[in-house]
Amino acid sequence: MITKRQLLAGAALAASAGMPARPAVSRPGFFAARDIAEAGFIYGLPIVMNYGVMYDFAVDKTSGQYKAPFNVLSNEASVFTYKDTAVVTPNSDTPYSFVLMDLRAEPQVISVPAIERQRYYSVQLCDSNTYNFGYIGTRATGTNAGDYLVIGPGWNGPVPSGVGKVFRSSTQFAAAIFRTQLFDPGDIDNVRKVQAGYRSQALSAYLKQPAPPPAPEIAFPKITKDLAKRNFFEYLDFALQFAPAAPNETEIRAQLASIGVGPGKTFNFSDLPLKQKLEIGLGMRQGRNKVLAAVDKAGTAVNGWNISGLFGDSAHYNGDWLMRAAAAQGGIYGNSPDEAMYPFTRRDSTGRTLDGKNAYTITFPADGLPPVNAFWSVTMYDGRTQLLVKNPIDRYLINSPMLPAMKKNADGSLTLYVRHSSPGPDREANWLPAPAGPIYLVLRLYWPKETPPSILPPGKGSWQPPGVVLASH
């Protein structure tokens, strides 16, 4: 196995032996390099975050989050809990299935079974740039059985006649994220039956033909959250070799190359002189501050909730790297607006920061529940980590399938009790447990309705989520 660093070392040795070398490119000055590091951090954050998830899910068997090797589908016959920490702001509504796809040698074929119409499911196709490059599922392709081809950026071969649709990834690695609706805890065996019908296989296996030569083995660098902070550009440097540059990336890629980051580079922060470490460190800090501010200001504020359509495909972002970074930071692998909407908040209806030391309510009018074709939920997260919160009743969300067991008010409205401690036995069915500190809430609308009342278009829809109100007791 040959690593990129070994190849470059060989090239350097050849140059020292008398082969002509390219003239050295001068490094930008301090402030220019700092600004490039800032822009590069914003551009690269989703890519590095994605690499961290890919490493935990498909490379490091000791990560505690490991799912399966590349191109092997894994099913989770349960929903996410506070123990799941690889992905920020995880959905706890739908049991997941995953396949991390290595598309270098050949495409993958994803097959789905026929699924009952009342059960929502989706297969989100997301590449290493965190672009949602396609969907399979109830909304996108219907509920009949089908086979779908997922191809890499450079593949141009014949499409088998049995394939319903072709989806092209912009990167050589991509993820297929399956979400299968769980109606209630007793429904889990039915979800398992659906998951058993999901399949991912190489195109050669689908065609029952000999496989092409395997792609070269890769030495994936170990990554943790702490390492990602210290060695951010080393991971970006590594990941970019699997992501061919699109036309709108020419400028940022050239800027990154000027500070030693990109395909053909071997960026190593620890080897840099102190001045260059300062350039990079200051730029990263400025970039992170801009991303966090962009998350906070994303979309349109409605009753304290931020409503935005952050997630989408390459055309949706159109080179807006800050919007892409804000989407990943806010909740990587979020769905595109027509598949799901995600109003979120850290504030109550008066603009004050939500804190579990207080008690709050959310009241939906009798005719004002979230308008969806599938289902909706309100999920609680720790405001610091954006992870699910451990609580005494193992409840991480309240969703529409729970409505029959919940208590409505005399006027038909529905009140949710958001607080750290129990609101009392008579209200516990409507209790959404909160952490003792900062709170982050996400309202999910799966397959939102497009006709009024609707949350679409994002921030301008006729339906508005009710504010989070500070309770008097």
Side-chain angles (χ1 to χ4, degrees):
M1 176 179 64
I2 299 175
T3 67
K4 184 172 73 169
R5 192 173 295 276
Q6 288 170 327
L7 284 171
L8 293 173
L13 183 62
S16 67
M19 295 179 67
R22 294 182 180 179
V25 177
S26 61
R27 184 183 175 88
F30 183 91
F31 294 108
R34 179 203 61 187
D35 292 344
I36 289 171
E38 175 189 311
F41 177 84
I42 293 169
Y43 164 78
L45 180 63
I47 299 170
V48 173
M49 289 179 69
N50 173 80
Y51 176 72
V53 175
M54 185 176 78
Y55 184 86
D56 281 353
F57 279 15
V59 178
D60 183 7
K61 295 181 179 179
T62 67
S63 70
Q65 312 292 326
Y66 183 79
K67 306 300 180 187
F70 287 106
N71 299 331
V72 176
L73 190 146
S74 67
N75 293 312
E76 300 282 338
S78 62
V79 292
F80 274 14
T81 72
Y82 70 92
K83 296 179 181 178
D84 297 282
T85 60
V87 178
V88 295
T89 326
N91 150 12
S92 191
D93 288 291
T94 58
Y96 280 100
S97 303
F98 298 92
V99 58
L100 277 297
M101 296 175 285
D102 179 349
L103 302 170
R104 292 175 300 153
E106 62 176 316
Q108 289 284 304
V109 178
I110 292 177
S111 301
V112 295
I115 296 175
E116 64 266 41
R117 292 184 180 276
Q118 65 269 29
R119 187 184 302 279
Y120 169 84
Y121 89 102
S122 71
V123 185
Q124 175 191 5
L125 301 173
C126 189
D127 61 29
S128 298
N129 286 318
T130 66
Y131 297 144
N132 294 335
F133 64 93
Y135 278 93
I136 303 162
T138 307
R139 177 196 64 83
T141 58
T143 55
N144 293 329
D147 301 324
Y148 303 91
L149 188 67
V150 182
I151 64 177
W155 190 84
N156 290 293
V159 177
S161 59
V163 166
K165 193 170 183 178
V166 179
F167 300 95
R168 184 182 294 274
S169 169
S170 72
T171 58
Q172 293 175 335
F173 290 89
I177 305 170
F178 298 65
R179 295 173 173 90
T180 309
Q181 184 178 4
L182 175 71
F183 296 127
D184 55 56
D187 185 45
I188 193 64
D189 284 342
N190 295 320
V191 169
R192 288 192 180 101
K193 291 176 183 177
V194 173
Q195 291 178 325
Y198 295 145
R199 191 174 183 188
S200 179
Q201 60 185 316
L203 176 60
S204 58
Y206 177 79
L207 296 173
K208 297 180 172 57
Q209 296 177 354
E217 188 178 349
I218 299 171
F220 291 99
K222 179 179 177 61
I223 185 171
T224 64
K225 287 182 172 64
D226 287 339
L227 286 173
K229 292 177 182 177
R230 293 200 302 268
N231 304 321
F232 177 88
F233 284 108
E234 294 176 31
Y235 295 114
L236 180 59
D237 178 81
F238 175 82
L240 288 179
Q241 67 183 299
F242 307 110
N248 61 7
E249 294 177 286
T250 302
E251 181 179 354
I252 186 64
R253 292 286 189 103
Q255 291 176 345
L256 285 167
S258 73
I259 61 170
V261 177
K265 310 293 182 182
T266 53
F267 185 91
N268 191 322
F269 183 79
S270 63
D271 290 347
L272 296 178
L274 178 59
K275 177 186 173 183
Q276 294 181 14
K277 287 182 179 178
L278 287 172
E279 295 169 352
I280 300 300
L282 287 171
M284 287 180 60
R285 185 170 67 180
Q286 290 179 178
R288 178 165 290 281
N289 288 340
K290 284 191 175 181
V291 171
L292 294 176
V295 173
D296 194 49
K297 297 175 182 177
T300 303
V302 177
N303 298 331
W305 297 85
N306 287 67
I307 301 178
S308 65
L310 282 178
F311 304 99
D313 59 12
S314 176
H316 169 77
Y317 293 111
N318 192 30
D320 188 336
W321 311 129
L322 184 57
M323 181 168 68
R324 186 179 69 168
Q329 181 66 41
I332 194 170
Y333 309 135
N335 279 301
S336 302
D338 50 356
E339 193 68 44
M341 282 291 295
Y342 304 96
F344 64 88
T345 186
R346 297 178 186 272
R347 296 183 176 86
D348 68 15
S349 58
T350 66
R352 284 180 283 194
T353 301
L354 294 172
D355 194 305
K357 296 174 185 176
N358 302 317
Y360 303 93
T361 61
I362 304 172
T363 299
F364 295 94
D367 58 351
L369 290 174
V372 292
N373 291 304
F375 68 99
W376 59 267
S377 68
V378 183
T379 306
M380 173 66 65
Y381 299 96
D382 183 291
R384 296 188 184 93
T385 64
Q386 293 180 210
L387 298 175
L388 297 166
V389 178
K390 184 177 182 180
N391 63 84
I393 60 172
D394 293 328
R395 182 181 294 164
Y396 310 103
L397 56 81
I398 287 177
N399 61 20
S400 50
M402 297 167 62
L403 285 174
M406 299 177 71
K407 293 185 177 180
K408 291 190 175 181
N409 302 316
D411 62 357
S413 62
L414 176 72
T415 297
L416 309 185
Y417 299 96
V418 179
R419 53 191 296 165
H420 181 62
S421 58
S422 171
D426 59 328
R427 295 177 170 179
E428 206 158 89
N430 297 30
W431 176 33
L432 182 57
I439 289 172
Y440 181 57
L441 287 170
V442 177
L443 173 60
R444 289 179 167 86
L445 289 78
Y446 288 94
W447 191 4
K449 290 186 177 180
E450 296 183 1
T451 56
S454 172
I455 196 170
L456 299 175
K460 300 177 182 178
S462 55
W463 181 86
Q464 299 182 344
V468 183
V469 177
L470 181 67
S472 57
H473 61 280

